[in-house]
Amino acid sequence: MRKLLLTGFEPFLDFTVNPTMKIVEELDGDLIGDYEIIGKIMPVDFSASGEMLLDFIAEENPDAVISLGLAAGRYKITPERIAINVKDGAADNEGNKPIDEPICEEGEPAYLSALPIRKMVDSLLANGLPAEISNTAGAYLCNNVMYEGLHYAKTNKPELKTGFIHIPASHELAIQHGRLPSWSQEDLVKGVRICIEALEEA
């Protein structure tokens, strides 16, 4: 049995719930294909999230890592193609607000996802769920975590499949925020399951 580390984030900014947190909590301990799912929740904290991800990898020694993040405003599931070596954006939950800071001084300018993102998108579309590859994970916490995972794999464990998937808001968030594209939590979970199945087949 192989291990898949699946991470999501706590609520942040003015989003009082985070659907990625609920997905991770629901799938934790499940068996999907040949993967045992190990679910972990990440803090929205520039100074702690990357180190925490690396701690989880060291503890669990997974064969693959998929990190999830909320992209409120997107209406498709979007596996990310690239992570950049930059921290920037709104203040995190601890009040940190880096501007144009490198994530890793000795790291590459950017890393490409090690997940089968085209296969994931094709599988989602074949199952009736809107999806496309995204070419920007931004420079906020989602990009930060994606970059940390890929830098670790590049320098320590090249066979580790790691990357990031952004998901739309849930209906719960759309009710709170008004005009916001949203999916049912059930379809969000289904979409993540499909991505994990595509990982197994790759």
Side-chain angles (χ1 to χ4, degrees), residues 40-140:
K40 300 289 185 180
I41 306 303
M42 306 287 291
V44 178
D45 180 347
F46 277 110
S47 64
S49 60
E51 184 177 345
M52 185 171 288
L53 178 69
L54 300 185
D55 286 344
F56 289 149
I57 292 173
E59 290 169 10
E60 303 295 345
N61 190 28
D63 300 282
V65 180
I66 295 178
S67 295
L68 304 176
L70 168 66
R74 292 189 189 179
Y75 51 91
K76 299 180 180 183
I77 291 180
T78 49
E80 295 294 342
R81 191 190 301 273
I82 191 168
I84 59 174
N85 192 6
V86 176
K87 296 180 185 181
D88 198 281
D92 64 19
N93 285 354
E94 301 302 317
N96 303 309
K97 194 179 186 303
I99 299 175
D100 300 336
E101 291 184 14
I103 296 169
C104 182
E105 291 285 356
E106 70 275 15
E108 298 291 334
Y111 293 113
L112 293 175
S113 175
L115 301 178
I117 57 174
R118 178 63 62 189
K119 189 172 199 49
M120 288 177 171
V121 166
D122 289 346
S123 296
L124 287 163
L125 294 173
N127 281 274
L129 296 178
E132 65 184 4
I133 291 173
S134 167
N135 292 313
T136 175
Y140 196 52

Side-chain angles (χ1 to χ4, degrees), residues 156-176:
N156 294 278
K157 193 176 180 181
E159 71 276 13
L160 181 66
K161 296 178 180 178
T162 182
F164 199 95
I165 300 172
H166 266 121
I167 66 167
S170 60
H171 292 334
E172 185 178 6
L173 278 177
I175 290 170
Q176 293 179 13

